[in-house]
Amino acid sequence: MTTTADCIFCKIAQGQIPCKKIYEDEDFIAFHDINPRAPIHLLVIPKLHIESLQHVDASHRDLLGKMLVLAPQLAAENGASEGFKTLINTGPAGGQEVYHLHLHILGGRPTA
Ligand code: AMP
Ligand code: ZN
């Protein structure tokens, strides 16, 4: 498991690694996925390092609620006018590659 120090998304959140940023506030940063699997492929990450959805607890309720409320706003602002998919890969069996919680937003065409 990654720790904050060697976490690529922590480095993006801290501005140490560049990204195609589309949004930032005190709790979140959102950017274009580097390897898009749809015409619109956005990632929303909390600035707080949480390894995965398996690592959340009740103290994260507000943060997780805010992340979901952000999703349709960012989708609309980035051209997903006809809807979108959201995805959170969790753990090895869930196909998670980056162990810093992130929400995928996929839009622009029907995806499987
Ligand atoms: P997953 O952990 O499987 O939910 O997916 C991690 C996602 O992060 C993949 O879709 C990658 O293409 C994406 N990704 C990895 N590194 C970067 C980066 N430096 N900038 C933007 N997206 C990235
Ligand atoms: Zn991190």
Side-chain angles (χ1 to χ4, degrees):
M1 292 290 165
T2 9
T3 62
T4 308
D6 61 4
C7 171
I8 189 169
F9 283 179
C10 281
K11 287 180 178 160
I12 287 176
Q14 289 158 13
Q16 294 168 5
I17 289 179
C19 70
K20 288 170 70 178
K21 184 164 74 177
I22 55 161
Y23 178 84
E24 182 169 9
D25 66 23
E26 60 179 358
D27 293 320
F28 295 95
I29 185 165
F31 49 91
H32 290 274
D33 195 292
I34 205 166
N35 180 24
R37 264 138 305 158
I40 299 161
H41 188 170
L42 312 173
L43 297 175
V44 185
I45 69 168
K47 290 183 174 176
L48 180 68
H49 180 84
I50 303 169
E51 283 188 17
S52 82
L53 204 56
Q54 287 179 308
H55 295 81
V56 301
D57 59 42
S59 74
H60 300 121
R61 268 188 193 137
D62 286 354
L63 197 68
L64 295 172
K66 277 180 75 177
M67 187 163 75
L68 274 188
V69 170
L70 256 182
Q73 176 193 326
L74 297 180
E77 289 174 359
N78 288 275
S81 56
E82 293 182 17
F84 55 90
K85 287 197 176 189
T86 49
L87 178 68
I88 301 176
N89 294 326
T90 303
Q96 186 172 0
E97 293 170 4
V98 177
Y99 279 83
H100 178 128
L101 178 66
H102 52 280
L103 177 69
H104 294 258
I105 298 173
L106 298 141
R109 69 159 181 248
T111 50

